[in-house]
């Protein structure tokens, strides 16, 4: 598994995720392989483990937050409990997540599973081969092209706007507001430039959820199209 956690409002959430999620992933994967008949995990197993490890990481981080929005980020032997909150209870450290795991068969790599929560974009880039002549001419001076890209969870994204609108009446989600030519989501005294990430309870209740997009990229099919 490879992952990037881009923290904001402090490093507490990104530090927690970077330490906890890989360990959870490895532990659950080891359990699956040890109980399978061939000691192997399928691509669907890897997807499930990736999703589970992220969900448990998010629950563990938010589980360390009190009703007063005081979130435990860490414990230091000299400093004691270290809180994730900053100068206001409305701002608690959060993090995006971009994680990927590669499924390898006897013939080689076959599936790349990508988890995305936030706006840390993941790109799958490769060289162009076997394209129509017109396409090759257009890309002649380019070294590579993007075969896959995750969707940024931005307040200006149409799917995110619809999700937040649907959650306004049902769950009281905040609605994106335009500020300095950018859409932002108000949370107490602050506003966020992204619509999904791992956050404390207040921002989560306002609609900035940690629900990820998870995509399986068929590398065999992708390579055959090149």
């Amino acid at each position: 598994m490879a992952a990037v956690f881009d923290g904001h409002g402090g490093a507490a959430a990104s530090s927690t995720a970077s330490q906890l999620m890989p360990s959870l992933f490895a532990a659950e994967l080891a359990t699956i392989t040890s109980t399978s008949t061939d000691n192997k995990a399928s691509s669907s197993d890897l997807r499930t483990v990736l999703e589970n490890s992220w969900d448990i990481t998010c629950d563990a981080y938010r589980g360390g937050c009190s009703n007063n929005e005081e979130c435990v980020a860490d414990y230091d032997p000299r400093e004691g409990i270290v809180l994730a909150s900053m100068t206001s209870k409305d701002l608690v450290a959060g993090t995006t997540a971009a994680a990927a795991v590669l499924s390898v068969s006897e013939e080689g790599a076959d599936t790349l599973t990508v988890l995305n929560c936030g706006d840390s974009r993941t790109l799958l880039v490769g060289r162009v081969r076997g394209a129509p002549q017109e396409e090759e001419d257009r890309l002649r001076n380019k070294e590579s092209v993007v075969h896959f890209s995750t969707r940024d969870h931005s307040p200006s994204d149409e799917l995110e706007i619809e999700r937040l609108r649907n959650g306004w009446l049902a769950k009281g989600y905040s609605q994106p507001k335009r500020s300095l030519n950018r859409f932002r989501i108000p949370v107490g005294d602050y506003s966020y430039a992204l619509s999904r990430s791992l956050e404390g309870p207040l921002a989560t209740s306002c609609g900035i959820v940690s629900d990820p997009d998870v995509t399986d990229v068929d590398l065999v099919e992708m390579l055959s199209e090149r």
Side-chain angles (χ1 to χ4, degrees):
M1 186 192 91
V4 172
F5 304 99
D6 185 11
H8 46 266
S14 58
S15 177
T16 298
S18 64
Q19 294 177 31
L20 186 56
M21 186 176 176
S23 300
L24 292 169
F25 179 88
E28 186 170 348
L29 184 60
T31 300
I32 290 177
T33 55
S34 65
T35 56
S36 65
T37 56
D38 56 0
N39 294 326
K40 295 180 181 179
S42 65
S43 58
S44 61
D45 289 332
L46 293 176
R47 178 189 176 109
T48 299
V49 174
L50 189 66
E51 290 179 295
N52 288 346
S53 58
W54 172 245
D55 289 342
I56 295 173
T57 297
C58 295
D59 290 342
Y61 181 70
R62 283 192 292 265
C65 299
S66 69
N67 292 331
N68 294 324
E69 203 72 3
E70 292 182 341
C71 301
V72 176
D74 203 351
Y75 178 81
D76 185 272
R78 297 198 314 184
E79 300 294 334
I81 293 176
V82 180
L83 298 179
S85 55
M86 304 297 282
T87 56
S88 169
K89 69 181 183 64
D90 294 339
L91 179 62
V92 172
T95 186
T96 66
V101 59
L102 185 64
S103 173
V104 180
S105 65
E106 295 181 355
E107 289 75 27
D110 56 8
T111 304
L112 181 70
T113 301
V114 179
L115 179 146
N116 171 54
C117 181
D119 56 4
S120 296
R121 191 177 304 175
T122 300
L123 304 175
L124 184 58
V125 181
R127 292 179 180 274
V128 178
R129 294 179 183 173
Q133 187 61 47
E134 181 180 346
E135 185 72 3
E136 286 190 355
D137 291 341
R138 186 176 69 83
L139 300 171
R140 182 173 299 166
N141 296 325
K142 294 188 176 181
E143 291 292 328
S144 57
V145 294
V146 176
H147 292 279
F148 168 79
S149 174
T150 54
R151 176 175 65 92
D152 289 350
H153 296 140
S154 164
S156 60
D157 178 80
E158 291 184 1
L159 293 178
E160 292 301 293
I161 291 175
E162 182 180 0
R163 179 184 67 82
L164 292 166
R165 184 184 297 119
N166 292 336
W168 178 53
L169 292 176
K171 301 179 180 179
Y173 285 175
S174 297
Q175 297 301 291
K177 295 184 178 180
R178 196 179 188 91
S179 175
L180 299 177
N181 296 323
R182 293 190 65 182
F183 283 96
R184 304 179 73 90
I185 299 177
V187 175
D189 295 332
Y190 293 86
S191 61
Y192 289 71
L194 76 176
S195 55
R196 296 196 207 183
S197 60
L198 171 56
E199 303 290 342
L202 178 60
T204 302
S205 69
C206 291
I208 306 179
V209 297
S210 58
D211 301 342
D213 289 338
V214 182
T215 307
D216 293 322
V217 181
D218 189 332
L219 299 179
V220 176
E221 180 179 351
M222 188 194 78
L223 292 172
S224 66
E225 292 176 350
R226 290 168 55 189

